[in-house]
Amino acid sequence: MTTSNSAPAGDLTSQVLHKLSTQSPILSSEAFPAATFQDVKAALDRLGSRSMVTYETMEREEALLEPEAEQIAAHGSHEARVFEAVREAMEGLTIQELEQAIGDKTVTKLGQGKAFKEKWISKGKDGKLVATVRLIFLWGGDLICRAEPELTPYVSLLQADSIKDSTRAVLLQVKETKTGDAKALADLKKRKLIKLQKVVTFKIDKGPKFALEIEKEETDLTSDMLSSGSWKTAKFKPYNFRALGSDQNAGALHPLNKVRHEFRQIFFEMGFEEMPTNKFVETGFWNFDALFVPQQHPARDLQDTFYISDPKVADKPRPLVEGQNPEEYWNNVKEVHQDGKFGSIGYKYPWSADESLKLVLRTHTTSISTAMLYKLASQKGPDGRPPPARYFSIDRVFRNETVDATHLAEFHQVEGVIADYGLTLGGLMEFMEVFFGKMGITDLKFKPAYNPYTEPSMEIFSYHKGLGKLVEIGNSGMFRPEMLESMGLPKDMRVFGWGLSLERPTMIKYKISNIRELLGHKVDLGFIERNPAVRLEKE
Ligand code: PHE
């Protein structure tokens, strides 16, 4: 069945109606044997939506002969053909003569073996192949015994028993009916003589609005119809609420955005406020100095940080809220680095204001957290002191990295900061368990680490079942007193912070092994359009 020899759908609809007017129900396989499934279905859907016909779908299996089986059906089984050829030659046949008579080497070879097995042929005295003739003794019409001729020299030949080619008989029947006894079909299938194919047939009947012609139905109400009044009598096509809408070709969310959305939900759920991160350029002051990162620290090298060449320097920090005196903060930072202050012995080096005013692409979002904490220092809660706060941000950071499968020069950081009185390291570890637990990351391991701005510092690890190993998921710590007191936060206020990349959990979630497939110019737009939504707590 191909589309080319079937009637077009338009014709088929009226063919269906005409057939039904003389006979109902009808079976599509009998009435339209040449039409394809798609054409019949399209015609029936068209008529069905107008209630002109009703139909049921029936599925059945058809047995179809394989080419070899077609041959057997036409000419007999190999063994039968061998038997017939040998029997016809009264004097017997040599193998070459048999081959010639059959005209097919494989048929001869296979058939000969089977015919021997069935004892239909044997080797005569001169070595030629002869048909085994059986004799049947009849007595008054009743069969009384059978015998091989050489054993019964006294009897006369009454009837030559011919062989029964049962394979051919079964195949002929299957060919005609396309079905057969289940055991026989299974056997034929095993011998690769037939294949079973699913066929869908429709049982079609007249519907409540059956007619021979399809009435034209209006699809739109036009202004002409309104002015002429023809809308009153017009027949309108009912809405098809099951039809698929046309493709809207809308934009798609990038996987990073989907994972970001999940992180934001978790932060909001835990009472965090989102920090404004809408600036990529920072001064060395906010990115490094305020965080107690010494000016000789390798992270501040050109190899690690991108510096802005125009303009080269920034102004000194301005008040972030009214009434602040950034000059005091600036001087505190300078003293902490140079000579030590607030109980810190400092780094003991000549601190350079120029270095602090250099402009950089921020290397972490902790620069934003620092500015937020500086703002917090001048806020007053009910007791006149800075109130507890929870801040988070998810945004882009820049590092002068050599780009490879797991590193990019720009990526996204997820960062959280909690400021409160009486925070403890144990409380912080507990908080981490809860926070990561919300995205399905459990059994955390903490490893002592070093950050210039936190003490103690801990790297956070978790066992990843999919990867079968411990993976680092983040970095964390308690901000140092010399950093917090410099900005004017009370001595007993503790601030805990942590950060992780947005890319790593996204890559794990979407099973991406090369970060360049996720971010940058090599990203495949098809991947963005097709990737599924994500739920962090699952899996
Ligand atoms: N800034 C750290 C980083 O880039 C993350 C961090 C934030 C660590 C806050 C401790 C406290 O990895």
Side-chain angles (χ1 to χ4, degrees):
M1 277 189 270
T2 59
T3 325
S4 55
N5 64 14
S6 67
D11 284 354
L12 201 54
T13 48
S14 66
Q15 281 175 39
V16 169
L17 296 174
H18 281 90
K19 275 257 180 211
L20 275 177
S21 68
T22 55
Q23 172 202 348
S24 70
I26 52 172
L27 287 179
S28 63
S29 55
E30 287 168 6
F32 315 104
T36 64
F37 167 81
Q38 283 85 353
D39 288 347
V40 176
K41 176 97 172 76
L44 294 182
D45 280 345
R46 209 167 151 224
L47 295 170
S49 70
R50 291 170 168 79
S51 304
M52 296 175 74
V53 303
T54 60
Y55 66 89
E56 282 168 41
T57 317
M58 300 189 306
E59 252 185 41
R60 62 191 162 81
E61 249 181 5
E62 269 184 2
L64 299 177
L65 302 202
E66 296 284 8
E68 191 190 339
E70 288 285 7
Q71 270 220 334
I72 294 175
H75 309 292
S77 68
H78 303 338
E79 55 273 28
R81 283 169 73 182
V82 166
F83 173 78
E84 290 304 336
V86 172
R87 197 182 61 154
E88 250 163 52
M90 297 299 276
E91 307 292 303
L93 291 174
T94 64
I95 304 239
Q96 286 81 354
E97 285 166 343
L98 174 66
E99 235 172 66
Q100 240 169 25
I102 290 187
D104 186 323
K105 255 194 165 142
T106 21
V107 172
T108 314
K109 206 170 153 221
L110 292 172
Q112 201 192 234
K114 275 201 186 139
F116 265 117
K117 236 185 177 168
E118 294 280 351
K119 297 213 170 87
W120 291 347
I121 59 169
S122 53
K123 272 216 171 116
K125 290 185 190 88
D126 52 359
K128 283 187 172 181
L129 300 172
V130 290
T132 311
V133 180
R134 287 163 193 176
L135 299 179
I136 299 171
F137 301 90
L138 296 171
W139 190 267
D142 292 328
L143 181 122
I144 51 164
C145 89
R146 293 167 180 246
E148 303 297 320
E150 53 272 29
L151 299 177
T152 55
Y154 316 107
V155 296
S156 56
L157 184 130
L158 295 175
Q159 191 181 338
D161 196 8
S162 83
I163 54 117
K164 199 172 161 228
D165 190 355
S166 51
T167 308
R168 182 188 190 190
V170 172
L171 284 176
L172 279 172
Q173 208 196 348
V174 170
K175 190 178 159 82
E176 199 186 303
T177 60
K178 295 201 166 113
T179 181
D181 165 59
K183 228 180 111 203
L185 289 183
D187 182 54
L188 291 174
K189 198 169 166 233
K190 219 164 106 198
R191 289 166 65 187
K192 298 212 165 71
L193 290 175
I194 59 161
K195 61 173 176 227
L196 298 173
Q197 200 177 49
K198 266 220 173 85
V199 263
V200 179
T201 312
F202 298 97
K203 187 178 163 198
I204 314 162
D205 217 331
K206 288 178 179 166
K209 293 196 186 154
F210 178 81
L212 277 179
E213 294 292 322
I214 298 181
E215 202 173 345
K216 188 178 175 303
E217 290 180 321
E218 303 293 347
T219 50
D220 288 309
L221 179 64
T222 62
S223 55
D224 280 351
M225 289 162 88
L226 287 174
S227 56
S228 71
S230 71
W231 64 272
K232 288 184 204 157
T233 50
K235 281 230 185 283
F236 287 96
K237 192 171 179 208
Y239 278 108
N240 178 4
F241 291 108
R242 295 220 202 149
L244 291 176
S246 57
D247 192 348
Q248 291 303 301
N249 226 354
L253 282 183
H254 190 281
L256 281 175
N257 272 326
K258 293 180 183 170
V259 175
R260 176 171 172 268
H261 173 83
E262 283 289 299
F263 271 112
R264 289 181 86 229
Q265 289 316 111
I266 292 171
F267 276 117
F268 287 134
E269 213 175 287
M270 299 183 82
F272 282 77
E273 183 186 322
E274 191 162 20
M275 297 187 262
T277 48
N278 52 347
K279 51 168 166 178
F280 290 164
V281 178
E282 283 284 7
T283 55
F285 180 81
W286 289 112
N287 197 81
F288 297 121
D289 293 292
L291 283 150
F292 203 49
V293 180
Q295 293 185 330
Q296 308 75 19
H297 194 282
R300 297 179 77 149
D301 280 356
L302 267 174
Q303 293 96 305
D304 288 290
T305 300
F306 292 113
Y307 285 85
I308 306 293
S309 54
D310 184 21
K312 264 195 159 51
V313 289
D315 296 341
K316 278 188 167 183
R318 296 172 194 153
L320 300 181
V321 287
E322 226 182 296
Q324 273 182 329
N325 180 5
E327 192 62 30
E328 190 186 333
Y329 180 25
W330 171 269
N331 288 331
N332 279 343
V333 168
K334 175 177 175 177
E335 277 179 63
V336 160
H337 278 250
Q338 211 164 268
D339 311 302
K341 202 179 178 181
F342 309 112
S344 166
I345 60 164
Y347 290 119
K348 315 279 186 204
Y349 71 95
W351 186 81
S352 148
D354 290 346
E355 190 64 37
S356 198
L357 293 178
K358 279 186 183 166
L359 288 163
V360 300
L361 286 182
R362 67 175 179 223
T363 61
H364 52 185
T365 44
T366 319
S367 56
I368 304 283
S369 303
T370 308
M372 285 299 284
L373 290 171
Y374 180 48
K375 262 193 201 174
L376 181 70
S378 57
Q379 278 172 35
K380 287 186 174 47
D383 58 357
R385 289 154 40 97
R390 290 180 166 205
Y391 302 130
F392 83 92
S393 67
I394 305 172
D395 209 347
R396 203 172 278 232
V397 298
F398 308 85
R399 291 186 192 171
N400 199 354
E401 301 259 14
T402 310
V403 173
D404 64 24
T406 53
H407 293 88
L408 285 180
E410 45 189 297
F411 61 99
H412 296 81
Q413 233 175 19
V414 180
E415 176 153 329
V417 168
I418 300 178
D420 207 342
Y421 299 94
L423 287 182
T424 63
L425 192 69
L428 149 66
M429 289 161 82
E430 171 62 20
F431 177 87
M432 288 292 111
E433 294 277 358
V434 175
F435 175 78
F436 285 105
K438 282 186 185 282
M439 46 192 101
I441 301 174
T442 53
D443 303 317
L444 301 184
K445 298 262 179 291
F446 297 93
K447 181 179 149 193
Y450 174 77
N451 292 314
Y453 40 95
T454 54
E455 183 58 39
S457 310
M458 300 182 298
E459 276 170 2
I460 308 168
F461 287 80
S462 153
Y463 183 77
H464 189 274
K465 284 190 207 112
L467 301 175
K469 60 173 184 188
L470 278 176
V471 290
E472 191 195 333
I473 46 176
N475 177 14
S476 68
M478 301 284 278
F479 285 112
R480 296 179 78 103
E482 52 268 73
M483 169 188 160
L484 303 177
E485 287 178 46
S486 289
M487 54 177 77
L489 281 171
K491 250 186 160 17
D492 56 346
M493 181 167 247
R494 302 273 175 274
V495 183
F496 173 62
W498 73 98
L500 58 140
S501 87
L502 182 61
E503 280 75 4
R504 169 162 280 174
T506 308
M507 285 170 74
I508 293 175
K509 221 54 224 180
Y510 287 92
K511 303 194 166 52
I512 301 169
S513 55
N514 191 335
I515 197 166
R516 284 168 286 196
E517 285 166 26
L518 187 63
L519 203 61
H521 67 284
K522 288 193 179 159
V523 173
D524 170 13
L525 277 183
F527 164 72
I528 307 289
E529 275 163 19
R530 285 186 307 269
N531 65 61
V534 67
R535 274 266 103 91
L536 284 179
E537 70 268 29
K538 299 243 171 78
E539 202 180 315

